[in-house]
Amino acid sequence: TNAPAAAGPASPAAPVKRYGTCHALCIGINEYAGDGGAVLARGNLKAAENDAQSIAGALHEYGFDPANTQVLLGKDADRETILKRFRYLAASAGPDDVVIFFYAGHGISATFERGTENERRRGYLMPARIDDPPPKDIGDDWYKKSLVPMEELADIARKSKARHTLLLLDCCFSGLVAGATGRGSDEALNDYAELMAQPSCLAITAG
């Protein structure tokens, strides 16, 4: 009798599709324009725009569709465009989707009602152009209208229906966004599948 043919190597299993659509907005700003930009930036950067492009490229390698990955560089990253793009991206995400927001550039902080029981410190991303310099008696309203509040980004992220939303902030004072993203459960999850199935809103910051 003929010996049975040797079995060939097993075909690789089809990759498990863990998510629906993966969305990303990658922003990098090297140069800052306008009277306000000159005052607050205190110098331009060299590698922020390259970093945003590199992150977008890395996401493509991990399976993000370039059609769902937006890149805003330099002068195109004004305040209105940053917030409009992120709001749309976060709002259009479904319950199985992933949303990533990456920013490389200048960040600043401001403390309000200093010395009172209501004292609070807030963080802001700097858009590419800030036309008006900070007024002498600077207040919260000027920051909200001229910069990109980290609290506002966190609020947009929390309201998204996406399963996972991640803010990646490579700028000074980016750690101030941590208190705005909310806090998840302290209960340990040892099951990876269960962990990945739970909705989350997280931030990874430079400082």
Side-chain angles (χ1 to χ4, degrees):
T1 60
N2 294 328
S11 299
V16 177
K17 187 173 177 61
R18 301 188 183 280
Y19 302 108
T21 302
C22 295
H23 309 266
L25 175 59
C26 301
I27 301 165
I29 305 172
N30 286 344
E31 298 182 1
Y32 290 81
D35 292 340
V39 171
L40 295 175
R42 298 181 182 177
N44 292 319
L45 302 173
K46 295 181 179 180
E49 294 176 18
N50 183 67
D51 289 347
Q53 292 174 308
S54 296
I55 289 293
L59 292 175
H60 296 163
E61 292 180 5
Y62 277 93
F64 279 57
D65 187 337
N68 297 317
T69 304
Q70 303 179 45
V71 179
L72 281 177
L73 302 176
K75 63 182 181 181
D76 292 331
D78 59 81
R79 179 186 182 278
E80 290 73 19
T81 302
I82 291 173
L83 290 172
K84 181 179 179 180
R85 294 278 186 95
F86 188 43
R87 284 195 190 101
Y88 178 80
L89 185 151
S92 62
D96 288 326
D97 293 353
V98 171
V99 171
I100 291 180
F101 176 96
F102 173 82
Y103 172 86
H106 277 306
I108 66 171
S109 71
T111 302
F112 303 98
E113 299 187 62
R114 189 185 299 272
T116 73
E117 61 180 13
N118 296 320
E119 180 175 314
R120 61 197 188 282
R121 191 181 186 199
R122 292 176 174 164
Y124 303 86
L125 309 184
M126 286 186 57
R129 185 175 188 85
I130 306 171
D131 289 319
D132 299 324
K136 184 175 181 180
D137 297 324
I138 197 165
D140 191 24
D141 286 344
W142 182 89
Y143 281 94
K144 289 180 179 179
K145 294 177 181 177
S146 302
L147 309 179
V148 179
M150 294 181 192
E151 285 185 344
E152 188 166 355
L153 292 176
D155 185 58
I156 294 170
R158 283 197 308 270
K159 290 178 179 177
S160 176
K161 294 180 180 179
R163 190 193 309 174
H164 300 314
T165 304
L166 177 63
L167 304 177
L168 295 169
L169 304 183
D170 185 8
C171 61
C172 291
F173 307 106
S174 54
L176 291 173
V177 76
T181 54
R183 184 180 180 185
S185 171
D186 289 329
E187 181 180 354
L189 287 173
N190 297 318
D191 187 314
Y192 177 77
E194 182 182 355
L195 176 65
M196 297 306 292
Q198 293 203 3
S200 65
C201 177
L202 303 173
I204 298 177
T205 69

